[in-house]
Each structure stands twice: as C-alpha cells, then as structure tokens.
Amino acid sequence: MTGRTAPSGAWRPPLSLDEYAERARTRLDPAVWDFIEGGAGDERTLAANRAAFDRVRLRPRVLTGAGEGDPSTTVLGRRWAAPVAVAPMAYHTLMHPDGETATARAAGAAGLPLVVSTFAGRSFAEIAATAGSPLWLQVYCFRDRATTRRLVERAADAGFEALVLTGDTPRLGRRLRDLRNDFRLPPHITPANLPADEADYSSPSEHGRTGLDPSLDWSVIAWLRSVSPLPVLVKGVMTAEDARCAIAAGADGIVVSNHGGRQLDGTAATLEVLPRIAAAVDGRCALLLDGGVRRGRDVLAALALGADAVLLGRPVLHGLAVAGADGAAGVLDLVLDELSEAMALTGTATAAGADAALLAGPEDTTAVRHRRSGAATTTGPEAAPLAGPEDTTAVRHHPPGATTTGPEAPPAVGPEAPPAAGPEDTVPARHHPPGAAPRDDRRRPPESAAGHDRPRPPEPAAEAAEAEATEAAETTGLRKADLHRSVSDPVLDTMNFLNEITGRFPDVVSFAPGRPYEEFFDKDEILDHVRRYLDHLAAGGASDEAIRTALYQYGPTAGQIRGLISDSLRADEGIDAPPGAIVVTVGAQEGMLLALRALFAGPGDVLLVASPCYVGITGAASLLGVPVRPVEERADGLDVADVEAAVLAERARGRRPRAFYVVPDHSNPSGNTLSRRAREELLELAARHDLLILEDSPYRLVSPGAQLPTLKAMDRTRRVVHLGSYAKSVFPGARVGFVVADQPVRDPSGAESLLADELAKIKSMVTVNTPALSQAAVAGALLACGGRLTERNAVPAKHYGEALRVTLEQLDRHFPEDVRDRLGIGWNRPSGGFFLTVRVPFPADNAALLRSAEDHGVIWTPMAYFYPGPGGERSIRLSFSYLSTARIEDGIARFAAFLRAETERSGATGPTPGRDA
C-alpha cells in the first residue's frame, strides 16, 4: 500500500478526501478510474456539483455555549449517527475484492446507512451479514418487472429497510470516458443479485440500453408498494414540480440528485436546486441530497438549505480502493470529524438546528435572517446562497396548485453562480389537491414521527407579513414536522381549494358539493320532528322527568334511538339487526373512525378500499395510521377478482388484509353500482379469506327506482359492518349516523360481546355521545314515515333522478357521440346517486379548475382527489344534487365551453389514455 507511515510503521490515512482520491487513482486501472470518476458529456454538471459547495459561505459564531454538538438525526424513523449515508454505487468489487461487504462494515462502524446498488458485486445476504446499520436498496426498474420484483423481495428478506427508486435513468447518459475506453467489466465482476444467465452485464451502457425500462411513470411507486411494504424514496428529483409529483404519488422520501453528473450534462448542481425543492416538500417527506459532497462543512451547508441528510458517493469508493473496509471507514470518519468541527465553529448544537442562519454572502458582511422554521432569505446582500439568480421572488396570491408565473427560489450561491434550470414550477402538482402529502403511514415505519426531525425552509422570498408571522411562530415553538404526520396528508385538506374557489367566485355554477337539494327542507319541520319524538316517549310511558333527562343529558353512549333505527332498517332495507348491534354516531364519519380503531390492531393490518373512494375513509385511516391499499375500479366498476388479488398480494407481503371498504350503490365519487352477482362474489370472498366488509351506502334511499339489496341484508356470516347516515335521507345538519356491528367478540375468558359494544367503548373516549337533540329530530322523521325512508324520500329521489337525467341529456346535447369521440371526452351513466364521472383529454388539476372558475364560471371536482394512489388525473367528478334543472342546463353549457377551450389549449384530442375512467 502506498501512503505515509507513522514512526511506529502504522499506515497513516489521508487527511482529506482529495488525498484519498489521488491515492485511489494510482491504484486503479485507468479505465476503471474513468468508469467511477467520469460524468456525462463535457462533465459540466459533474464539475458544477462541487463548485456549488465551494461557493457556499458559512457564518462562524463565537461564545454560543453550543458544546461539542450532536450530529445525530432521524430519517424514516431510524436514528443515524450523522446526517450522512453511503450513496448507491455499482460494483464495489471493482475497488476491492470484499466489495459491498467491506463498505457495509465501514458504514456500520460509523453508524451510517448504506444504500446498496441493484448492481452490487456481493449478494444481499452477504452484505446484510456484515452490516451494523440500516441497509437500503437502490432500485433500477427493468423492462422485465419480474426481475425487479425478485430483486426487491430478496432485499426485503435480507432485512433491508427502504427502497430508493432511481428515476433519472430511462437510459444511461453518454459518458465519453467509457466510450473512449470501450469500457467492459472484468469477467469476475458481475451483479451478484441479478440472474446471471438472462443478460450480458459486461457493458454497463449496453445493458442499460436494453435492460432498463424507459417508459416509467409515477405509477411505478404504487407498483413498488404492491411488491413490498418497505418505504419508497425517489432518487433523481431536480425540480420542485417533480418533488410535488413524488409526494402525490406516495413517496416517503426524495433524493435531490443528478446522478453525480453522469446523466444529462449541463443541468444545475444539486445544491443549486435544493432550496426550491425543500420549499415544495415543506417537511412532508424525507429530503436527501447527493452530488459534490467532499467535506463535513458541505454536509452542514446542505442541511442549512433544507436537506435532512446527504449521500456520500465516490469518496467511499476511493477509500475502499485505498484500504478496503479501513479505507472506507477512514473516509466516513474524516467527513464526520469535519462535520463536528463545522458545527462547533458555527455554534450549531444539533443537526436539527442547522438552518439558513448558518449561511451568508461571500463577503460575510450581513447576516441572513434567522428563521427557526427555515424561513426564506431576502434578496440582495442578505440573500442566502442558492438557486438561479432569476429565482428571487415568491409566488404570491396564487391558490395552491394554480399555475404560477413567477419564480420561487432563493438567489444563487454567490454573485458568480450559474443560473438554475429556471422557473419550471408552473404546473401544479398532479394527483392531489393543494398541499399534497403522503396519504397515510404506509409510507414509513410506524415509529416514525415525520420522517425527519429538522425544520424545513418554506417558500422563499416571502412578503413582510409572512415574515412577521414566521417570527411570531418562533415564539410558539410549533413546527408542522412536530405534529402528527396526518395533518400534512392531502386527504385532510381535499376540499379547501374548492372552498377557496367558491368564495372567490360566488357567481359560479358549482358541480362540486354532493349536498342535498335545499328546497326539500322546511325550517319548521325540525320542531315537528322533535315534538313527535317526545310524544312517542310519553306514549311509551316515559315520565316528564325521564323525557327531560333524555333530551338534556348526555344519554347512553351507544345512542337512545337504536330501537327505532333497528325497526327502520328491517322495514326499509331488510337488515335484521337488533338494537344492541347498533351504535348511533356523529355522522357516518365517526362510524368509520370507530370501526377502523377497533378492527386494526397493528401495523400489519391493511385496509383495502375501492378506488376511487370517498376521502373520509382514507382520511380516518391517515389519522389512525392504518395502511391503505387501493383496489382500482375498472371502466365498468369494481371487479371482485381484483379485490382477491389485492388480498393475496398483501398476505404475500406478510400483512393481514383486515377489511375492505366499498360504496356498493351509486358510489362517491364515480357513481358506479355493484351488480347483484358482484355482491354475492364479494361476500363469498370475504368468507373465504376471513375479510370484513365496511359497507357505506348513503345514496340508495334517495335514488329513483328499485334498489339492489345491501350487502348487510345479504350477509349470512356476519362479514359486513354496515355504516349508515341520515345526512341524505333526513338532513345533513343533524349529523346522525350509525354502525351495524353484530360481529361476536370473545375475550380471553370466553365471554362474548358484540363488536358494537367495543365501538361504544371507543366512542365514549371520542364524542361521548351523539347529541340528544339530533337524535330526537331524526327519530321524529323515522316515526313520521313508519321507518320507511324510501317512501319519505320518494319526491327527493324523483328530483335527483331528474337532475341526473338532465345532466346526461345536456352533456349529450353539447357533445354528440361523434364530437366526444373526436375530442376524447366521455362519461359514465349512473343509475342514481349524486355523481357522475367525465373523462377528459387534459390534466384535470387545480390549475384547470381555476381557469374553469375564472374564465367560464363553473366549478367541478378533480377526480384525482379521490384516489389513494396515482390515478384520476384526467377525470372530473360532477355532482348535480344541489342544483335546479335550470342551473344544471346553464352549468353544463359553461362546462362544455370550458372543456372545448381546455382541449384546444392542451392540443390533446382523441381517446383519453391511462387509468382515468
């Protein structure tokens, strides 16, 4: 081994990463050195990554009392010794015969994770056997998905903890060094975890061209989730737009990466784009960065600009080439020592405390304003270094997701900084409403609080009022990252943008709210309902004192009108449920919350949902940390075979499918209805696979014509938990729902109760009871019609049927069959309910919705709001229940004008592609 020796004769390690690189270069074949060290094209991006860090200036602080500093951090629920991990790199065996096993030993000794490449030279089992810290798998998705599936499964079996999808390689970049060298792997270097007899791996560039899938889209994240329960990070993100798409698609984390400068040459450095991406992420998932990290202070700079951690790449290979595991450990130790030094000299007590206050301009004459929340810096001499010089103004006054025209990022690293890629963030995030975020905690291990524990920088260059608000927030000490992750879930904020648009444009025709038609409500009728119920109690022998108590006191947790509900269900629905099997709830939403809390006992229990689905169920699952697996409807509705496939897939992953949520009649949002045969098949499947069904059918009693029997009415083995609501069939303001839960529950002693009893216990800790006045009003309505709500709602059902007919008639009039075929527009034809789905040839996102309101005076709901995973990007939900027929005619005329204008604007015609039906 070359290198200096200490007087004792012991090998003395290099004192910088550049020294490690120089020693490695002398030990490696020149072609191998070029393979690991080279970049794409003229290697401008390769150089830019390091140059960006060189331009950063840190602000030293004195007499801070910070002590030695604690560099440890938490990412995806795991504590790391420092915010550094080893980046994924192929074929460590080119550097040293021990390859990745030596790297794993070094990373374990340092307490840092190792991201293992798909093209590792040692097997996952061998690497795991030597690892002392978390292992993640970097995933290339091959054209043959079965190969990728086996790779992921093998890593999971070896104990790997996360998947890092490399998204920037539809093909390998043009790497001139390798082309000049005609680089080939030595015969003994092969990918140990890929099938040896299915491909020629000797030429990495050629194998990349033939083996990698160039047609990947965001749906691959959902596919990876179907293969493995491991969290998924997306590597290769370089724009805020793609960061938002990654979050919307369900990513647990993002790696800001340009592949070490090895893909598209001439792109921005990763550090240049980090602030813009950090602002877009806003703490909703883990955020990492790679590219150009060569010193401990580089790590601190990345943290200050919004990263949770960095990935260290080529230097680890240099260390491995110099001295195997000891050399790789030396590299990591050197970086961590330098990080500790930088923290001490800047007065940074913890990695979580690193923020934009650490950074200053090149002259270091004026401090960047300190923002504990990571607030944006100003332009001019105070500006924190980063991003392109044009990106100095914040987006102002735009609703979330709306098209923007101004750039969004802080200024560049020093006056000489090259511009970033420009204000590309003009397209709203797909798949989700404003503030899109992970939908539930299937995205990260149950012990994870928020994926990381650092403050995030918000949108840069905020206005003065926003800065004052930030300063005020500092005094409260609250950060969104400190709150439960569900508060960042887009499911909990689905309708806020719609409400904002409605408020801004009060004269629009709105096809958004699924509300009952108000003309059927008489304000005096509520008093009649309550009086009727009081008379009913008196006729039953209740004393005045008992009636007073029933109306003014809390009453039984399970409800005091269960007998009337039981009678109504028997008369109207053919559901034979005794009062003791019923719990009266504050709307159906509380019923969902109670059922999920009782049934889902551990992180391995999974809720299946028909997708698209009512956001209330996925919102409740998010609040409770219940993993959700969508079962996507087909063009003609739900296929029970798809439900069974999802059950088997979840069991293969070691999880227990506990229940399946479905709206079998005129569902919200699609409007589809399950056939009788499909209902029978679903019940058979539930019995076969020990699955419960959560049935929610709020629209059947206000829909015209004969209705199919409910699943609960057909249930002979107590597989169905029926969720009911009087919001549509009586009136929404009562907020009264119910759960029929007649499933027996046995305790360890053998004593038996009903699931309803357990739900009542949980309810006593949530709402205590359902308000007695609300129950009285609903009870009076039930008494008035003898429990037959179908008869009571005959007139409303006729109205809703007519509203549906007029809506379809107007769509047909504005878009005859030949026109809609030419434009790529279509819709389904529900038999009842409040909703239908329109397919369009353009992205039906928040920006399109804003244009619809502003230019055409009509509002609708993006179907993407209702998909737990990707989907619905080119579909619209129309609700017609709240409108008169005259308003429907006017609204559809406006809607048709919008569809034509948007289709022309997008230049998209012809059949709509994808899964948006």
Side-chain angles (χ1 to χ4, degrees):
M1 240 174 236
T2 37
R4 296 170 291 176
T5 57
S8 63
W11 174 71
R12 177 178 296 174
L15 298 178
S16 71
L17 297 196
D18 284 343
E19 289 184 28
Y20 269 105
E22 181 56 28
R23 294 194 196 183
R25 186 183 63 79
T26 64
R27 293 170 176 271
L28 295 172
D29 179 276
V32 171
W33 172 258
D34 282 346
F35 173 66
I36 68 167
E37 205 65 14
D42 297 326
E43 301 187 347
R44 291 176 296 167
T45 298
L46 177 66
N49 281 343
R50 294 193 62 175
F53 281 106
D54 290 342
R55 288 191 295 270
V56 171
R57 301 292 184 264
L58 298 177
R59 300 177 63 233
R61 298 296 307 281
V62 299
L63 302 179
T64 62
E68 295 182 0
D70 176 12
S72 64
T73 192
T74 299
V75 178
L76 293 184
R78 288 297 303 270
R79 199 71 176 168
W80 300 4
V84 179
V86 178
M89 296 169 288
Y91 304 118
H92 292 207
T93 43
L94 280 170
M95 307 296 109
H96 190 278
D98 291 344
E100 288 79 9
T101 58
T103 312
R105 287 196 299 273
L112 306 177
L114 164 63
V115 186
V116 179
S117 171
T118 287
F119 294 98
R122 301 296 295 267
S123 73
F124 295 153
E126 291 175 311
I127 299 168
T130 61
S133 56
L135 296 175
W136 293 359
L137 173 66
Q138 175 268 334
V139 179
Y140 282 116
C141 206
F142 296 103
R143 295 173 190 263
D144 179 8
R145 286 286 178 94
T147 298
T148 306
R149 178 191 293 270
R150 289 192 295 269
L151 186 82
V152 169
E153 291 172 345
R154 192 174 298 120
D157 290 343
F160 285 45
E161 298 182 14
L163 305 176
V164 181
L165 172 69
T166 293
D168 62 4
T169 7
R171 57 172 289 171
L172 292 186
R174 183 176 173 81
R175 301 168 190 175
L176 299 183
R177 297 199 205 189
D178 292 346
L179 292 174
R180 293 187 183 105
N181 294 327
D182 190 23
F183 180 73
R184 293 288 189 273
L185 293 172
H188 65 285
I189 302 296
T190 59
N193 301 287
L194 294 175
D197 56 349
E198 292 184 11
D200 177 8
Y201 302 104
S202 62
S203 172
S205 61
E206 180 62 21
H207 177 257
R209 187 183 66 80
T210 60
L212 300 181
D213 185 350
S215 62
L216 291 183
D217 58 25
W218 292 107
S219 67
V220 71
I221 296 177
W223 180 80
L224 283 173
R225 294 200 179 287
S226 73
V227 172
S228 168
L230 297 178
V232 177
L233 298 89
V234 179
K235 181 175 178 288
V237 171
M238 288 291 289
T239 67
E241 179 190 355
D242 280 350
R244 287 189 286 263
C245 288
I247 292 171
D252 300 278
I254 288 168
V255 183
V256 179
S257 173
N258 53 30
H259 214 101
R262 292 164 69 82
Q263 282 299 96
L264 178 62
D265 194 29
T267 64
T270 53
L271 196 68
E272 290 174 352
V273 300
L274 174 60
R276 178 182 301 203
I277 293 173
V281 170
D282 194 24
R284 292 176 288 165
C285 71
L287 181 62
L288 292 80
L289 171 140
D290 70 15
V293 177
R294 294 296 184 271
R295 295 158 295 222
R297 68 179 177 86
D298 295 347
V299 179
L300 193 58
L303 299 185
L305 289 162
D308 296 312
V310 304
L311 302 182
L312 187 65
R314 292 177 177 95
V316 176
L317 295 184
H318 300 159
L320 198 61
V322 170
D326 290 340
V331 165
L332 297 175
D333 288 344
L334 185 56
V335 171
L336 298 194
D337 285 347
E338 291 177 348
L339 172 61
S340 295
E341 176 188 77
M343 291 177 67
L345 296 179
T346 57
T348 306
T350 65
D355 62 16
L358 290 171
L359 305 174
E363 296 80 22
D364 198 19
T365 56
T366 310
V368 177
R369 294 180 185 178
H370 181 62
R371 295 282 187 269
R372 280 298 304 161
S373 65
T377 59
T378 60
T379 59
E382 295 184 2
L386 246 293
E390 75 281 10
D391 301 327
T392 56
T393 55
V395 175
R396 297 184 176 97
H397 309 311
H398 287 277
T403 300
T404 62
T405 56
E408 307 182 338
V413 179
E416 75 279 22
E424 76 283 359
D425 302 323
T426 58
V427 183
R430 291 173 290 173
H431 311 313
H432 284 285
R439 291 165 300 282
D440 55 65
D441 75 345
R442 68 190 184 276
R443 313 222 186 293
R444 49 181 63 84
E447 68 273 18
S448 169
H452 51 279
D453 56 4
R454 290 192 343 91
R456 317 232 43 80
E459 291 289 341
E463 298 185 59
E466 295 170 326
E468 291 173 5
T470 302
E471 290 168 358
E474 290 175 12
T475 63
T476 69
L478 288 178
R479 300 175 300 166
K480 203 162 188 178
D482 294 328
L483 305 179
H484 188 265
R485 57 186 168 273
S486 64
V487 301
S488 295
D489 195 317
V491 167
L492 305 188
D493 197 33
T494 301
M495 298 304 170
N496 281 357
F497 187 49
L498 288 174
N499 293 335
E500 179 186 340
I501 294 294
T502 302
R504 289 175 58 191
F505 304 99
D507 296 328
V508 300
V509 177
S510 180
F511 288 99
R515 299 166 61 179
Y517 187 52
E518 287 193 355
E519 295 298 318
F520 295 124
F521 299 141
D522 183 340
K523 62 181 176 20
D524 296 327
E525 193 176 25
I526 294 177
L527 301 177
D528 295 339
H529 290 334
V530 174
R531 172 54 59 187
R532 187 177 294 106
Y533 177 58
L534 298 183
D535 292 344
H536 168 75
L537 293 178
S543 66
D544 287 346
E545 291 78 10
I547 294 173
R548 182 179 63 195
T549 297
L551 217 58
Y552 282 93
Q553 296 292 353
Y554 293 110
T557 298
Q560 57 189 28
I561 63 169
R562 292 185 291 167
L564 290 174
I565 293 175
S566 175
D567 292 342
S568 177
L569 289 173
R570 189 175 299 108
D572 227 3
E573 298 280 32
I575 296 175
D576 190 8
I582 296 171
V583 177
V584 184
T585 60
V586 181
Q589 191 65 40
E590 186 189 30
M592 295 176 194
L593 189 76
L594 299 179
L596 293 184
R597 181 65 294 158
L599 295 175
F600 289 78
D605 290 343
V606 180
L607 172 67
L608 308 181
V609 298
S611 178
C613 71
Y614 170 58
V615 296
I617 189 68
T618 47
S622 177
L623 289 174
L624 298 174
V626 174
V628 173
R629 169 156 186 153
V631 180
E632 196 162 311
E633 289 185 350
R634 302 191 181 194
D636 57 349
L638 183 72
D639 190 322
V640 176
D642 293 336
V643 182
E644 184 161 36
V647 169
L648 296 175
E650 287 300 321
R651 286 187 174 164
R653 298 166 65 187
R655 303 205 292 187
R656 177 174 68 158
R658 191 76 172 99
F660 175 59
Y661 171 84
V662 64
V663 181
D665 301 288
H666 324 299
S667 74
N668 179 7
S670 69
N672 291 330
T673 294
L674 276 181
S675 68
R676 186 181 187 106
R677 180 55 188 156
R679 295 171 196 238
E680 293 169 349
E681 291 175 351
L682 188 57
L683 289 169
E684 292 168 2
L685 179 147
R688 189 163 63 250
H689 290 290
D690 191 22
L691 184 73
L692 290 171
I693 298 173
L694 302 181
E695 178 186 31
D696 183 11
S697 284
Y699 306 102
R700 55 185 282 109
L701 298 183
V702 289
S703 293
Q707 301 296 316
L708 292 168
T710 64
L711 290 165
K712 190 60 185 173
M714 300 170 66
D715 182 21
R716 300 292 177 263
T717 56
R718 298 186 181 184
R719 289 287 166 190
V720 179
V721 176
H722 185 80
L723 305 167
S725 168
Y726 294 112
K728 309 300 187 294
S729 57
V730 180
F731 64 94
R735 301 304 303 129
V736 174
F738 58 90
V739 182
V740 178
D742 57 358
Q743 289 73 22
V745 178
R746 297 177 183 82
D747 67 17
S749 70
E752 189 172 286
S753 61
L754 292 179
L755 178 60
D757 300 318
E758 311 308 317
L759 300 185
K761 293 177 187 176
I762 300 171
K763 180 177 170 63
S764 71
M765 295 291 112
V766 180
T767 58
V768 181
N769 74 331
T770 302
L773 275 172
S774 293
Q775 292 189 66
V778 169
L782 293 175
L783 289 166
C785 63
R788 297 186 180 276
L789 290 173
T790 303
E791 295 179 2
R792 178 184 186 272
N793 284 298
V795 172
K798 182 179 180 181
H799 165 81
Y800 296 129
E802 179 68 5
L804 172 58
R805 184 192 66 77
V806 171
T807 302
L808 292 171
E809 179 183 85
Q810 292 300 308
L811 286 171
D812 286 336
R813 185 170 77 82
H814 287 280
F815 295 100
E817 186 172 356
D818 61 327
V819 174
R820 57 179 180 258
D821 287 347
R822 174 169 52 82
L823 296 180
I825 294 171
W827 50 86
N828 64 341
R829 297 179 181 274
S831 59
F834 288 7
F835 313 102
L836 61 83
T837 304
V838 179
R839 301 178 301 280
V840 296
F842 53 82
D845 52 24
N846 290 330
L849 177 56
L850 181 60
R851 290 190 293 272
S852 180
E854 286 181 331
D855 300 338
H856 302 281
V858 63
I859 292 177
W860 36 266
T861 309
M863 279 290 287
Y865 285 13
F866 303 97
Y867 280 76
E873 297 91 343
R874 293 171 180 257
S875 293
I876 287 170
R877 188 194 77 170
L878 293 186
S879 176
F880 42 80
S881 59
Y882 189 61
L883 302 173
S884 66
T885 53
R887 289 288 277 172
I888 290 172
E889 291 177 359
D890 179 28
I892 294 298
R894 301 183 187 199
F895 182 65
F898 160 72
L899 291 185
R900 292 177 184 277
E902 197 71 12
T903 300
E904 181 178 352
R905 177 182 180 275
S906 67
T909 58
T912 302
R915 306 170 302 163
D916 300 313

